[in-house]
């Protein structure tokens, strides 16, 4: 049985159509699950509002709100991806999210506040790790000094 020839220079090997179809099918299933989760969440929120405001939401209204919400989230995801790519990064950062929220002052203020809280919490954790690691280093150094003293006392007794 002959081995398959290596791909030509400059050409990448692409997965077969069967693999592409399986990937597309899996993506479709994940999208359906996500849409269902959004629909459920919107339904719960509408129910809460209905109880508070003493109003009713039809199933069609909930479905429409769910669809609009899902489409808006898709647009947000694409925008965030583009912001990161424009900055020559492959990871979306908090700064990208702030840029996305720039038109809503209250949302931007909230995101900025949460971002600062997370940053300060991360700094505190780093400080704790530094103190912990430096204390461990000091403990090891003290143990090594004691071992050295013990060895020198043992050699003096001999």
């Amino acid at each position: 049985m002959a081995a398959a020839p290596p791909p030509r220079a400059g050409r990448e090997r692409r997965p077969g159509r069967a693999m592409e179809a399986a990937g597309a099918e899996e993506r479709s299933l994940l999208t359906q699950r996500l849409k269902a989760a959004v629909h459920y969440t919107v339904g719960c929120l509408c129910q809460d509002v209905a109880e508070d405001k003493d109003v009713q939401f039809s199933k069609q209204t909930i479905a429409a709100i769910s669809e609009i919400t899902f489409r808006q989230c898709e647009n947000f995801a694409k925008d965030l991806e583009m912001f990161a790519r424009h900055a020559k990064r492959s990871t979306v950062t908090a700064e990208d999210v702030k840029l996305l929220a720039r038109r809503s002052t209250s949302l931007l203020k909230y995101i900025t506040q949460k971002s600062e809280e997370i940053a300060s919490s991360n700094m505190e954790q780093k400080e704790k790790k530094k103190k912990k690691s430096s204390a461990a280093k000091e403990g090891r150094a003290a143990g090594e000094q004691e071992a050295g003293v013990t060895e020198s006392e043992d050699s003096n007794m001999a």
Side-chain angles (χ1 to χ4, degrees), residues 98-127:
K98 290 177 191 176
L99 184 61
L100 182 70
R102 69 190 180 279
R103 291 190 182 109
S104 172
T105 54
S106 60
L107 181 60
L108 180 60
K109 184 177 178 181
Y110 180 79
I111 290 171
T112 302
Q113 177 188 358
K114 289 297 176 186
S115 176
E116 289 170 358
E117 286 175 14
I118 291 169
S120 67
S121 173
N122 288 344
M123 291 298 288
E124 288 173 9
Q125 288 177 352
K126 284 182 182 179
E127 289 296 322

Side-chain angles (χ1 to χ4, degrees), residues 25-43 63 65-75 77:
E25 186 176 318
E26 185 178 343
R27 185 175 174 91
S28 176
L29 288 173
L30 289 172
T31 301
Q32 287 176 352
R33 288 180 61 196
L34 190 54
K35 278 186 175 185
V38 169
H39 183 78
Y40 174 77
T41 303
V42 167
I65 294 170
S66 298
E67 184 63 28
I68 290 168
T69 302
F70 190 82
R71 287 184 187 176
Q72 189 64 41
C73 287
E74 284 181 320
N75 290 335

Side-chain angles (χ1 to χ4, degrees), residues 11-112:
R11 279 188 144 177
E12 292 181 26
R13 229 179 199 187
R14 294 189 59 209
R17 287 187 179 148
M19 285 185 71
E20 287 179 0
E25 186 176 318
E26 185 178 343
R27 185 175 174 91
S28 176
L29 288 173
L30 289 172
T31 301
Q32 287 176 352
R33 288 180 61 196
L34 190 54
K35 278 186 175 185
V38 169
H39 183 78
Y40 174 77
T41 303
V42 167
C44 289
L45 291 170
C46 286
Q47 189 176 11
D48 290 346
V49 170
E51 290 171 3
D52 287 348
K53 304 293 181 183
D54 197 30
V55 294
Q56 294 293 317
F57 289 92
S58 70
K59 289 182 180 181
Q60 293 86 0
T61 302
I62 294 171
I65 294 170
S66 298
E67 184 63 28
I68 290 168
T69 302
F70 190 82
R71 287 184 187 176
Q72 189 64 41
C73 287
E74 284 181 320
N75 290 335
F76 286 164
K78 288 175 186 174
D79 287 347
L80 289 169
E81 204 174 345
M82 289 296 121
F83 295 157
R85 191 176 295 162
H86 179 73
K88 296 179 178 43
R89 289 184 274 105
S90 60
T91 304
V92 172
T93 65
E95 294 305 313
D96 298 324
V97 177
K98 290 177 191 176
L99 184 61
L100 182 70
R102 69 190 180 279
R103 291 190 182 109
S104 172
T105 54
S106 60
L107 181 60
L108 180 60
K109 184 177 178 181
Y110 180 79
I111 290 171
T112 302

Side-chain angles (χ1 to χ4, degrees), residues 130-148:
K130 278 184 182 177
K131 288 178 183 177
K132 199 174 189 179
S133 66
S134 64
K137 285 179 185 176
E138 289 174 9
R140 281 195 302 264
E144 290 171 1
Q145 285 178 348
E146 286 178 17

